[in-house]
Amino acid sequence: MLDHVGFQCSDLAASGAFYDAVLAPLGGSRLMDVKVAIGYGTGGHADFWISELSEGDGFRESHIAFAARSRSEVDAFFEAAVAQGAEVLHEPRIHEEYHENYYGAFVRDPDGNNVEAVSHRPE
């Protein structure tokens, strides 16, 4: 359903370093860099974008959940985020309130957004 989603960042270089690190364990990479925006994705399509803060007033937290193929990918995402200094919201674990195989980890990106990696597969 979604073609792409984007966040504005107060420090594009810091956010770029964060997303370079946390998306790599999920198979994602920086596919485009157009100086004012960076596009990430898999399979050659940039479907997640970060850009310079250019409009709007004040901060409104956003949430994005990146798909992981396994629980070990969720763990690797979490480890990369912590290594980048991310605030931990929820360490990797089963979130039965969603469903019995919902294994996710939640952190804050450099701008305070709620960023998650999730696997829906049993292991």
Side-chain angles (χ1 to χ4, degrees), residues 25-26 65-75 77 103 116-121 123:
L26 306 177
F66 293 104
R69 293 169 291 219
S70 66
R71 293 179 184 186
S72 62
E73 282 192 358
V74 173
D75 295 340
F77 160 91
Y103 187 81
E116 173 188 5
V118 60
S119 171
H120 298 281
R121 297 179 179 182
E123 287 191 24

Side-chain angles (χ1 to χ4, degrees), residues 25-101:
L26 306 177
S29 63
R30 186 184 292 215
L31 298 178
M32 296 184 72
D33 188 336
V34 295
K35 305 292 183 218
V36 297
I38 301 169
Y40 293 89
T42 60
H45 177 70
D47 51 15
F48 176 67
W49 287 83
I50 57 174
S51 64
E52 292 180 338
L53 183 60
S54 62
E55 59 187 65
D57 198 20
F59 174 74
R60 291 175 292 186
E61 178 183 319
S62 295
H63 172 67
I64 188 163
F66 293 104
R69 293 169 291 219
S70 66
R71 293 179 184 186
S72 62
E73 282 192 358
V74 173
D75 295 340
F77 160 91
F78 181 76
E79 291 168 12
V82 169
Q84 287 288 310
E87 176 188 347
V88 174
L89 299 175
H90 300 288
E91 293 188 9
R93 66 175 175 86
I94 295 288
H95 293 268
E96 290 181 355
E97 63 272 27
Y98 302 132
H99 66 74
E100 66 185 11
N101 292 313

Side-chain angles (χ1 to χ4, degrees), residues 107-123:
V107 298
R108 289 212 187 278
D109 76 1
D111 284 289
N113 293 300
N114 179 335
V115 181
E116 173 188 5
V118 60
S119 171
H120 298 281
R121 297 179 179 182
E123 287 191 24

